Amino acid sequence: MIMKQQKMESKKIFIADDDEAIVDATSMMLEMVGYQVRHTLNGATVQTALLDRPDLLLLDIWMSGFDGRDICRRLKADPATLNIPVLMISASREIRESALESGADDFLAKPFDMDDLLEKVAKLIV
């Protein structure tokens, strides 16, 4: 399925995760199918980084001192960022419900299959 994905050259994804290996692997996969990808390893920079209006935010729940659910609540409360879809990711599967309650549009548990990631991304980016 990975190679069957259509090119999405105009679509921008922003990844916020403090695990550099996850960011590298995810970025590489998303870029391979044509998405434009930017990232941060620091939860403090997420809101500022969204000023260029990505089409999707891939947000880790636990980012070195920052709770992605709090970041998501702030983004969804701000008229400038409330329409950016948020796909929250976490190694803790039990957090799914609280991630969705914080305003995330979907949730993906780590470790995740790249086909599952691409499928969720395609559903969220319109």
Side-chain angles (χ1 to χ4, degrees), residues 107-119:
F107 176 84
L108 189 59
K110 294 180 195 175
F112 49 81
D113 179 83
M114 285 299 175
D115 283 338
D116 292 339
L117 171 69
L118 293 174
E119 183 179 313

Side-chain angles (χ1 to χ4, degrees), residues 65 93 95:
R93 295 174 189 276
I95 293 184

Side-chain angles (χ1 to χ4, degrees), residues 11-124:
K11 300 298 183 177
K12 298 181 290 187
I13 298 176
F14 190 82
I15 302 171
D17 195 318
D18 60 353
D19 184 333
E20 199 165 356
I22 295 256
V23 170
D24 289 346
T26 304
S27 295
M28 185 174 62
M29 182 57 59
L30 292 169
E31 288 170 348
M32 192 179 348
V33 296
Y35 293 106
Q36 296 174 38
V37 180
R38 292 188 52 232
H39 72 273
T40 185
L41 300 172
N42 183 347
T45 63
V46 173
Q47 194 140 8
T48 308
L50 296 180
L51 295 177
D52 75 342
R53 311 285 301 150
D55 297 292
L56 175 71
L57 170 61
L58 187 60
L59 177 64
D60 187 20
I61 287 187
W62 304 115
M63 289 189 61
S64 49
F66 293 89
D67 187 324
R69 293 168 294 190
D70 293 335
I71 294 170
C72 188
R73 282 186 201 95
R74 282 195 307 275
L75 295 173
K76 294 299 185 176
D78 183 341
T81 56
L82 86 101
N83 292 319
I84 298 172
V86 176
L87 174 56
M88 200 159 297
I89 58 175
S90 176
S92 179
R93 295 174 189 276
E94 306 81 52
I95 293 184
R96 182 182 201 287
E97 189 173 320
S98 68
L100 297 175
E101 287 171 359
S102 72
D105 297 278
D106 206 344
F107 176 84
L108 189 59
K110 294 180 195 175
F112 49 81
D113 179 83
M114 285 299 175
D115 283 338
D116 292 339
L117 171 69
L118 293 174
E119 183 179 313
K120 286 184 181 283
V121 166
K123 284 180 183 175
L124 291 171

Side-chain angles (χ1 to χ4, degrees), residues 4-11 31-35:
K4 291 181 185 176
Q5 284 285 59
Q6 290 187 351
K7 294 284 184 185
M8 303 298 291
E9 285 108 24
S10 63
K11 300 298 183 177
E31 288 170 348
M32 192 179 348
V33 296
Y35 293 106

